[in-house]
């Protein structure tokens, strides 16, 4: 008994020693952690004042930039105007650098770039305003190469700066206030951290006091509590053992019920690895009229056709170790064809025995529906091929008509003029000087007419501007020639100063589509004004043809509106990987838009 008491006291002393060391270690760790957290937080807060200062300066810079722009508008002296422009560029550069540094960080400015999600959202709202003002200022600076500001060229940009500057100030104030609010929150968080660290230290000291000065009483109470707990635990274990036995019997009953339910509802079976049937579910047995009392292989039950039996046999024997899932063709004893979605699952009911679990479902109706869908797809494909043949035939017919028209123009126009030129040359009498001069004058006029006719014919075939100078000069020449020939007001505008050369096939297809769209506007729309505009980005060329004609209802397919022209336009735009959009409304004109990816030649 004394030995046991001594052992208990020794264990108590050892436990108290360990607790004391643990308490001191905990205090040391808490002090170190608190200093680390506080110093880290203070280091993070060092940049808050810089961030707020730079954010506040953004408001001043925007006002300064606006003021300098307005000073530039009233300055007529070239030297002062040049100096103002340089000052504006410097202010704009500092404004832009500060704006980007607030978002992404800048070591030279001491900006970390670590913004909260709220501030990031506010910057997303202000960035479009910032970009608008920046672009407007750049537009003013680039509006005139001379040193003196040109007010007429930059009126819109000045109005944009005036309208957007106030909105920028409001949103920038919001950002500065948010920075200030978050800085205050950090200070409050630091205060709370210091309080909790102090509270934790006090709690540790209190625990130390309790563990060191009251060890004996606590140890005795703990020992008695352990004995009482062990007794309760023993009683509980006995009770749990009884409950576990009852639960086991219940699980066995549920498992048997589940097995019966599977037999009645699923097409399930158990077979040996060689294919011999161990057990077949009731529904599976009814499906194929099989009795579990007879010995048979699964493939003999699933089909009456020798070829199908062989396929099922090879499938089972090949996948008896790895398992398999897929579709299987089967047939009933009445000769009715069936399709099964079947899974082969290897499993071992005992360590010495292995079997295969077969689970299947009837998908015959699904297969029949799939066959019908495949037939419909084939029919749709045949119809599409027939439509494509019609389009190809129309294209060939139009090509033949175009060749006939060119031959007729050459024969009736140029050919007749050449014949008249030949007769006039033959009728010249060198001895009659006066008549010879008159004949020569007539021959010059006829020669000019022949040259014009040849140029017109070659222009319609392949404009020289397209191959020599590119798409934009060719379109400009097209609008000019069609204006002269038709009397319509056809205007060409190159909005983005597009001057790139594209692949030759791309250029000729764009030219022909545009030519067809303008001709449709002239022939069918009864328009008096046609606008052809060109614009582009880094990856996309956009061409828009607008007319003020009578328009039409695009929701209905009406014959005679452009004939096969629209079909040819779509075929051409598809050939160059572009897209064509047609929008029109009765009485409100028509717009044709072409979007073509840019592949620079």
């Amino acid at each position: 008994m004394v030995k046991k008491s001594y052992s208990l006291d020794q264990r108590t002393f050892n436990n108290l020693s360990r607790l004391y060391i643990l308490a001191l270690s905990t205090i040391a760790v808490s002090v170190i952690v608190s200093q680390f957290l506080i110093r880290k937080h203070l280091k993070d807060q060092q940049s808050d004042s810089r961030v707020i200062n730079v954010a506040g300066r953004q408001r001043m810079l925007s006002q300064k930039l606006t003021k300098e722009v307005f000073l530039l508008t009233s300055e007529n002296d070239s030297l002062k105007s040049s100096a103002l422009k340089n000052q504006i560029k410097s202010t704009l550069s500092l404004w832009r650098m500060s704006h980007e540094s607030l978002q992404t960080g800048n070591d030279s400015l001491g900006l970390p770039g670590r913004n909260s999600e709220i501030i990031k959202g506010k910057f997303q709202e202000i960035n479009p305003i910032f970009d608008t003002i920046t672009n407007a200022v750049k537009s003013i600076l680039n509006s005139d190469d001379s040193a003196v500001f040109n007010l007429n060229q930059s009126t819109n940009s000045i109005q944009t700066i005036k309208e957007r500057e106030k909105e920028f100030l409001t949103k920038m104030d919001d950002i500065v206030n948010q920075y200030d609010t978050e800085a205050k929150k950090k200070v409050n968080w630091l205060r709370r951290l210091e309080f909790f660290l102090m509270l934790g230290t006090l709690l540790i000291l209190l625990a130390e006091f309790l563990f060191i000065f009251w060890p004996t009483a606590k140890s005795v109470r703990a020992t008695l509590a352990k004995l009482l707990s062990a007794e309760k635990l023993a009683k509980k274990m006995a009770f749990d053992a009884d409950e576990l036995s009852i639960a086991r019997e219940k699980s066995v009953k549920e498992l048997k019920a589940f097995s019966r339910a599977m037999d009645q509802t699923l097409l399930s079976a158990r077979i040996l690895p060689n294919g011999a049937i161990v057990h077949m579910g009731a529904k599976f047995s009814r499906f194929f009229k099989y009795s579990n009392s007879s010995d048979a292989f699964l493939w003999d039950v699933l089909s009456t056709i020798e070829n199908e039996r062989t396929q099922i046999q090879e499938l089972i024997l090949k996948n008896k170790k790895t398992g398999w899932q897929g579709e299987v063709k089967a047939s009933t004893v009445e000769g009715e064809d069936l399709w099964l979605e079947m899974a082969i699952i290897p499993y071992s009911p005992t360590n010495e025995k292995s079997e295969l679990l077969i689970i299947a479902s009837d998908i015959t109706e699904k297969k029949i529906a799939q066959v019908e869908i495949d037939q419909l797809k084939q029919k749709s494909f045949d119809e599409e091929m027939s439509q494509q043949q019609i389009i190809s035939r129309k294209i060939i017919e139009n090509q033949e008509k175009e060749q006939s028209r060119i031959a007729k123009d050459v024969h009736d126009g140029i050919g007749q003029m050449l014949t008249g030129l030949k007769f006039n040359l033959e009728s010249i009498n060198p001895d009659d000087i006066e008549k010879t001069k008159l004949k020569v004058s007539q021959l010059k006029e006829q020669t000019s007419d022949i040259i014009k006719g040849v140029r017109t014919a070659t222009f319609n075939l392949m404009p020289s501007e397209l191959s020599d100078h590119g798409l934009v000069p060719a379109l400009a020449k097209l609008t000019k020639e069609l204006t002269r020939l038709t009397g319509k007001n056809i205007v060409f505008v190159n909005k983005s100063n597009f001057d790139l050369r594209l692949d030759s096939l791309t250029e000729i297809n764009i030219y022909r589509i545009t030519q067809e769209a303008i001709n449709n506007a002239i022939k069918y729309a009864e328009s008096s004004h046609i606008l052809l505009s060109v614009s582009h980005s880094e990856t996309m060329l956009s061409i828009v043809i607008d007319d003020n004609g009578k328009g039409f209802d695009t929701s209905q397919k009406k014959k005679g509106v452009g004939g096969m022209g629209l079909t040819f336009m779509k075929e051409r735009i598809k050939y160059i990987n572009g897209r064509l959009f047609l929008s029109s409304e009765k009485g409100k004109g028509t717009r044709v838009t072409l979007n073509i990816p840019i592949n620079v030649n």
Side-chain angles (χ1 to χ4, degrees):
M1 183 68 180
V2 174
K3 185 177 181 181
K4 183 176 181 182
S5 177
Y6 175 78
S7 177
L8 180 61
D9 292 339
Q10 185 66 36
R11 288 199 303 270
T12 303
F13 177 80
N14 293 334
N15 292 335
L16 291 174
S17 300
R18 285 194 292 269
L19 289 172
Y20 185 78
I21 295 172
L22 178 62
L24 292 177
S25 301
T26 305
I27 293 175
V29 170
S30 66
V31 172
I32 295 172
V33 171
S34 63
Q35 289 297 316
F36 173 79
L37 292 175
I38 292 172
R39 290 181 180 276
K40 181 178 182 300
H41 195 76
L42 290 175
K43 182 179 179 182
D44 292 340
Q45 282 191 293
Q46 287 179 352
S47 61
D48 288 349
S49 60
R50 297 191 186 96
V51 171
I52 295 173
N53 184 35
V54 173
R57 189 181 63 182
Q58 282 298 89
R59 300 176 296 184
M60 179 274 293
L61 288 175
S62 67
Q63 293 173 325
K64 183 174 181 291
L65 186 64
T66 304
K67 181 180 178 181
E68 289 172 352
V69 169
F70 280 102
L71 287 175
L72 182 63
T73 61
S74 60
E75 186 59 58
N76 295 323
D77 184 77
S78 60
L79 293 177
K80 292 183 178 180
S81 179
S82 178
L84 276 172
K85 284 187 176 182
N86 292 332
Q87 188 173 352
I88 290 172
K89 290 179 181 178
S90 176
T91 304
L92 179 63
S93 176
L94 179 58
W95 192 47
R96 173 180 284 278
M97 181 186 70
S98 301
H99 191 79
E100 293 174 351
S101 298
L102 284 171
Q103 299 179 66
T104 60
N106 188 309
D107 293 335
S108 62
L109 294 178
L111 301 178
R114 298 189 297 271
N115 293 325
S116 66
E117 294 300 325
I118 296 175
I119 292 179
K120 288 180 181 179
K122 292 181 182 296
F123 269 114
Q124 289 179 357
E125 294 176 2
I126 202 174
N127 281 338
I129 302 172
F130 175 86
D131 293 337
T132 301
I133 297 175
T134 301
N135 293 332
V137 174
K138 288 182 178 180
S139 176
I140 291 172
L141 294 175
N142 299 329
S143 62
D144 195 344
D145 294 332
S146 64
V148 180
F149 176 75
N150 190 329
L151 181 60
N152 294 331
Q153 294 181 0
S154 303
T155 301
N156 292 335
S157 298
I158 294 171
Q159 185 64 26
T160 298
I161 295 172
K162 182 178 179 182
E163 292 174 353
R164 305 294 274 178
E165 192 265 347
K166 182 177 180 181
E167 188 176 357
F168 178 85
L169 287 176
T170 302
K171 292 187 178 294
M172 201 64 215
D173 281 337
D174 195 13
I175 292 175
V176 173
N177 292 333
Q178 183 63 31
Y179 274 129
D180 184 64
T181 300
E182 292 180 1
K184 290 179 180 178
K185 287 182 179 179
K186 291 179 182 178
V187 172
N188 293 331
W189 183 87
L190 181 59
R191 290 173 181 168
R192 291 194 298 270
L193 176 64
E194 290 178 343
F195 173 78
F196 285 117
L197 289 174
M198 180 186 69
L199 182 62
T201 303
L202 293 174
L203 290 174
I204 293 171
L205 292 173
L206 178 62
E208 239 183 305
F209 170 79
L210 295 174
F211 287 135
I212 292 175
F213 290 99
W214 294 343
T216 305
K218 186 176 180 181
S219 177
V220 172
R221 287 196 300 268
T223 303
L224 293 175
K226 288 180 180 178
L227 292 174
L228 294 174
S229 177
E231 183 181 2
K232 291 180 180 179
L233 182 61
K235 292 180 179 180
K236 186 176 184 301
M237 290 177 64
F239 178 78
D240 289 344
D242 293 338
E243 291 290 328
L244 184 62
S245 177
I246 295 172
R248 180 181 178 184
E249 293 178 1
K250 183 179 178 182
S251 298
V252 171
K253 292 179 180 179
E254 290 177 350
L255 185 60
K256 290 180 179 179
F258 178 73
S259 178
R260 288 194 297 271
M262 284 187 60
D263 281 350
Q264 296 295 329
T265 57
L266 295 179
L267 301 179
S268 61
R270 290 164 46 211
I271 64 173
L272 295 176
N274 63 356
I277 297 175
V278 177
H279 173 77
M280 181 171 282
K283 185 174 180 180
F284 216 161
S285 300
R286 291 195 301 271
F287 210 69
F288 289 96
K289 295 181 173 55
Y290 169 77
S291 174
N292 279 306
S293 60
S294 59
D295 296 331
F297 291 95
L298 182 65
W299 46 81
D300 294 330
V301 175
L302 295 185
S303 181
T304 58
I305 301 174
E306 185 64 28
N307 186 33
E308 292 178 356
R309 288 180 175 179
T310 303
Q311 292 179 353
I312 298 172
Q313 180 182 4
E314 293 176 353
L315 187 65
I316 293 174
L317 297 179
K318 181 180 179 181
N319 299 282
K320 62 184 179 181
K321 293 183 178 180
T322 60
W324 179 85
Q325 183 176 358
E327 296 178 356
V328 172
K329 177 69 167 56
S331 59
T332 63
V333 292
E334 292 84 3
E336 181 182 356
D337 291 336
L338 295 174
W339 282 93
L340 300 177
E341 178 74 26
M342 190 170 74
I344 302 173
I345 305 171
Y347 83 107
S348 299
T350 62
N351 293 332
E352 297 81 13
K353 185 179 180 182
S354 61
E355 295 181 358
L356 298 177
L357 179 62
I358 307 297
I359 299 176
S361 59
D362 184 9
I363 58 169
T364 305
E365 294 183 358
K366 176 182 174 183
K367 291 294 292 186
I368 294 173
Q370 184 63 44
V371 171
E372 293 177 354
I373 291 173
D374 293 340
Q375 291 175 351
L376 290 174
K377 287 182 178 179
Q378 183 63 36
K379 182 179 179 181
S380 176
F381 176 76
D382 294 340
E383 291 176 353
E384 184 177 349
M385 290 299 297
S386 176
Q387 182 68 21
Q388 189 63 38
Q389 290 175 357
I390 294 172
I391 293 174
S392 300
R393 186 170 65 253
K394 288 290 185 180
I395 291 174
I396 295 172
E397 290 176 358
N398 278 8
Q399 289 176 345
E400 294 297 328
K401 289 179 181 179
E402 183 66 13
Q403 291 177 358
S404 299
R405 184 190 64 78
I406 294 171
K408 186 175 182 299
D409 289 345
V410 172
H411 179 270
D412 296 343
I414 300 173
Q416 290 181 4
M417 287 188 287
L418 288 173
T419 301
L421 181 64
K422 176 177 177 295
F423 287 150
N424 283 331
L425 286 171
E426 291 175 350
S427 63
I428 292 176
N429 185 2
D431 296 333
D432 191 343
I433 296 175
E434 293 298 329
K435 290 185 177 181
T436 299
K437 290 181 179 180
L438 181 61
K439 289 287 186 180
V440 169
S441 177
Q442 293 176 353
L443 288 172
K444 288 180 179 179
E445 293 179 359
Q446 288 182 338
T447 303
S448 297
D449 293 339
I450 292 172
I451 292 171
K452 289 180 181 179
V454 172
R455 286 180 176 175
T456 301
T458 55
F459 176 79
N460 290 330
L461 289 173
M462 175 61 74
S464 59
E465 283 80 2
L466 187 61
S467 57
D468 296 339
H469 305 292
L471 181 63
V472 171
L475 293 178
K477 182 67 178 296
L478 173 66
T479 56
K480 183 178 179 181
E481 289 294 323
L482 290 177
T483 299
R484 182 181 61 82
L485 295 173
T486 63
K488 306 283 187 181
N489 186 11
I490 307 174
V491 180
F492 173 74
V493 179
N494 188 357
K495 293 183 178 180
S496 58
N497 295 323
F498 178 75
D499 59 355
L500 300 177
R501 291 303 303 269
L502 305 177
D503 178 79
S504 59
L505 288 176
T506 302
E507 289 187 339
I508 188 60
N509 277 286
I510 295 174
Y511 180 85
R512 292 305 183 195
I513 295 170
T514 306
Q515 187 181 40
E516 180 67 25
I518 296 176
N519 286 334
N520 286 341
I522 294 171
K523 293 178 182 178
Y524 306 114
E526 300 178 5
S527 58
S528 59
H529 291 77
I530 301 172
L531 174 62
L532 170 61
S533 58
V534 175
S535 61
H536 78 290
S537 63
E538 292 183 359
T539 59
M540 189 68 65
L541 172 64
S542 180
I543 298 176
V544 181
I545 303 98
D546 289 299
D547 67 67
N548 65 341
K550 60 184 181 180
F552 61 94
D553 187 0
T554 57
S555 64
Q556 300 178 1
K557 295 181 179 179
K558 294 187 176 181
K559 297 181 179 180
V561 181
M564 289 294 292
L566 182 59
T567 301
F568 297 153
M569 290 164 67
K570 290 181 178 179
E571 289 296 318
R572 285 184 181 274
I573 200 71
K574 187 189 300 182
Y575 179 73
I576 58 177
N577 297 322
R579 299 187 68 185
L580 183 146
F581 303 94
L582 179 66
S583 62
S584 182
E585 190 174 344
K586 287 187 176 181
K588 295 185 179 180
T590 302
R591 165 172 286 191
V592 179
T593 303
L594 311 178
N595 290 334
I596 306 99
I598 295 179
N599 296 315
V600 180
N601 188 12

